[in-house]
Amino acid sequence: MKIMTGKTVVLGVTGGIAAYKAAEIASSLVHAGTIVKVIMTEAATRFIAPLTFQTLTRQPVVVDMFAAPDRWEVAHVSYAQAADLILIAPATANMIGKLALGLADDMLTATVMASHAPVLIAPAMNSNMYLNPAVQHNLDLLRQRGFHIIEPESGYLACGDVGPGRLAAPEQIVQAAQRLITANLDLSGWQVLVTAGPTREPLDPVRYLSNRSTGRMGYALAAVAARSGAKVTLISGPTALPTPAQVERVDVLTAQDMYMAVKERFSSATALVMAAAVADFRPKRYSTEKIKKKTGQPVLELESTVDILAALAEGKKPDQITIGFAAESSDLVAHAEEKLRRKRLDFIVANDITRYDAGFAADTNEVMILWPDGRREHLPLAYKEDIAAAIWQRAYQCRQDLLATVTK
Ligand code: CTP
């Protein structure tokens, strides 16, 4: 998963038994395309060797603030400036106390002090220590100062006690880190159009053809874009979801309505993301009267709806981005590639709708992104908001590339 390509995470590892789990965190972050710079406290090196992190991250590991540098730079300042995020996992009671007090007597605390990057702390310790009022007070202080805390889990602890204090699951920590990093995504000045949900194609006053889309992926895309500063219009088929904050929502019913709503706004849009499951067919005839049983079994004749993305591809300006989704139940890549080309998309997000944990009605999704130049990228199972953030990051990069070629 290359969700965080090029971003730098300073990973602080402090001296607790959970320090070994930081190796998995470092590895997942590297796998996600992150540059990981590890700072260990002296005590952490008693639990896990710096060499482990050095190998996993392919970066030097810093422990001693006064060790002879291999090139001249003020190490804690350069780390502080390079960081898009400082993640401390595991964070001991001692480290939490030092941060709350504003001490800077080792490389990690000095780096935190010198940085403007968001800080995410994953405490791990014995439950009595964790529940100690001093630790809770220190955590509250840090929260008030804008530090992000990822609560430990309850369960069996290494010391034999049962209770809160076990380091949160590494994949949860990595996802929280991703959320914080992508929160830095700046889409200010962007006008985005997102479509979501199913469409309904009426047959008579009581019946319609539709599909299983719930709109969650599109709503997540709209929410993340709005949080990142974009002006967002969400063109939504019927869903049960609340409108995300700072999003203008336009409700539509049929594929034709959706087409009209998108077309009207497309020329001023920086990007269009079609996450809606648009009906491909509609009943050829609409009966203004409810179709009655006594007239016998009706034969439904269908006709094609307009392919919105394909129709808009014609008038697409060179600096506009269009992104499609491909919901497939077989031959995922081949079908997605065909749609990518036919609809002249900047990229397509393909998912396998036969899975219960991805696609329709799930909170999570696992997708493959396909690019016109043949690149493919797999984003493993993650919350739809995290997938949405990854999609916007790529849209942002796409636009930078387009602007560079347009102005050449
Ligand atoms: N789409 C669209 N207009 C339609 C149908 C789909 O703009 N009438 C968009 C979808 O929102 C999605 C992409 O096109 O972003 C692919 O949708 P999908 O239903 O997977 O593909 P289809 O074009 O309908 O092709 P097929 O019927 O072969 O699956």
Side-chain angles (χ1 to χ4, degrees):
M1 143 177 83
K2 297 274 182 242
I3 289 191
M4 299 195 285
T5 306
K7 299 287 182 178
T8 298
V9 172
V10 169
L11 174 62
V13 184
T14 71
I17 184 65
Y20 77 93
K21 294 185 183 167
E24 190 181 335
I25 296 169
S27 166
S28 303
L29 288 170
V30 170
H31 195 58
T34 316
I35 300 159
V36 181
K37 292 173 178 272
V38 175
I39 302 176
M40 299 177 77
T41 61
E42 192 65 46
T45 63
R46 308 285 178 110
F47 292 93
I48 183 166
L51 182 63
T52 305
F53 292 108
Q54 217 156 287
T55 312
L56 289 172
T57 64
R58 285 166 246 136
Q59 298 275 341
V61 170
V62 183
V63 181
D64 181 357
M65 201 156 145
F66 299 104
D70 52 356
R71 61 196 165 100
W72 175 245
E73 57 183 7
V74 183
H76 66 280
V77 176
S78 80
Y79 270 46
Q81 284 170 350
D84 292 296
L85 174 77
I86 299 178
L87 164 62
I88 306 182
T92 57
N94 186 50
M95 176 53 60
I96 291 164
K98 288 208 291 189
L99 292 173
L101 272 175
L103 299 182
D105 65 346
D106 61 17
M107 179 68 181
L108 183 54
T109 48
T111 304
V112 172
M113 196 77 103
S115 181
H116 291 301
V119 183
L120 174 62
I121 292 182
M125 65 198 75
N126 162 276
S127 42
N128 286 340
M129 285 175 89
Y130 179 68
L131 295 172
N132 186 295
V135 172
Q136 288 302 316
H137 177 69
N138 288 336
L139 285 169
D140 280 345
L141 266 180
L142 292 177
R143 270 191 205 96
Q144 282 163 28
R145 288 190 206 137
F147 286 58
H148 303 269
I149 316 284
I150 179 155
E151 304 290 337
E153 293 177 350
S154 264
Y156 274 105
L157 303 174
C159 54
D161 282 0
V162 179
R166 193 168 67 190
L167 185 73
E171 64 269 21
Q172 250 187 30
I173 295 175
V174 170
Q175 283 194 3
Q178 284 170 347
R179 264 198 293 276
L180 281 171
I181 287 187
T182 52
N184 287 342
L185 180 72
D186 184 10
L187 296 181
S188 47
W190 282 49
Q191 291 218 19
V192 309
L193 277 180
V194 178
T195 66
T199 64
R200 268 184 201 171
E201 309 302 327
L203 196 56
D204 70 15
V206 290
R207 303 180 179 100
Y208 55 80
L209 294 179
S210 192
N211 59 61
R212 289 175 48 217
S213 167
T214 58
R216 283 188 213 182
M217 192 64 238
Y219 276 60
L221 281 156
V224 170
R227 274 209 299 273
S228 306
K231 195 168 166 297
V232 184
T233 305
L234 173 64
I235 298 171
S236 176
T239 72
L241 300 172
T243 309
Q246 309 293 326
V247 167
E248 183 206 359
R249 171 166 154 185
V250 178
D251 287 318
V252 295
L253 217 51
T254 63
Q256 184 62 22
D257 295 343
M258 187 170 274
Y259 174 52
M260 299 310 284
V262 175
K263 194 175 149 195
E264 195 183 314
R265 295 165 179 84
F266 183 61
S267 66
S268 53
T270 319
L272 163 67
V273 186
M274 285 284 305
V278 188
D280 289 325
F281 308 103
R282 65 174 167 234
K284 193 161 184 181
R285 268 172 296 279
Y286 172 73
S287 163
T288 48
E289 299 291 332
K290 185 181 170 200
I291 300 167
K292 303 302 269 179
K293 259 204 302 267
K294 65 171 186 276
T295 53
Q297 284 174 0
V299 175
L300 276 188
E301 209 184 330
L302 302 177
E303 64 183 7
S304 296
T305 57
V306 59
D307 186 322
I308 303 173
L309 275 175
L312 294 175
E314 299 296 322
K316 182 174 159 182
K317 290 182 234 153
D319 60 345
Q320 280 187 306
I321 294 166
T322 52
I323 300 165
F325 275 72
E328 306 295 346
S329 54
S330 65
D331 299 327
L332 184 77
V333 170
H335 284 138
E337 250 165 9
E338 184 276 322
K339 289 173 193 178
L340 172 71
R341 273 194 306 278
R342 180 161 47 88
K343 304 187 188 216
R344 293 195 224 151
L345 303 174
D346 293 276
F347 61 86
I348 194 158
V349 184
N351 65 330
D352 176 353
I353 50 166
T354 60
R355 290 176 47 159
Y356 74 92
D357 55 357
F360 293 144
D363 285 331
T364 49
N365 209 353
E366 176 170 347
V367 301
M368 171 95 95
I369 298 187
L370 291 93
W371 306 79
D373 62 7
R375 266 181 301 143
R376 288 179 197 168
E377 201 183 343
H378 171 233
L379 304 186
L381 197 67
Y383 285 107
K384 284 184 172 169
E385 290 238 338
D386 297 321
I387 299 279
I391 291 170
W392 283 122
Q393 270 192 337
R394 276 140 194 80
Y396 181 84
Q397 193 52 53
C398 237
R399 173 133 169 109
Q400 297 298 104
D401 297 346
L402 282 182
L403 289 178
T405 46
V406 167
T407 52
K408 250 184 207 164

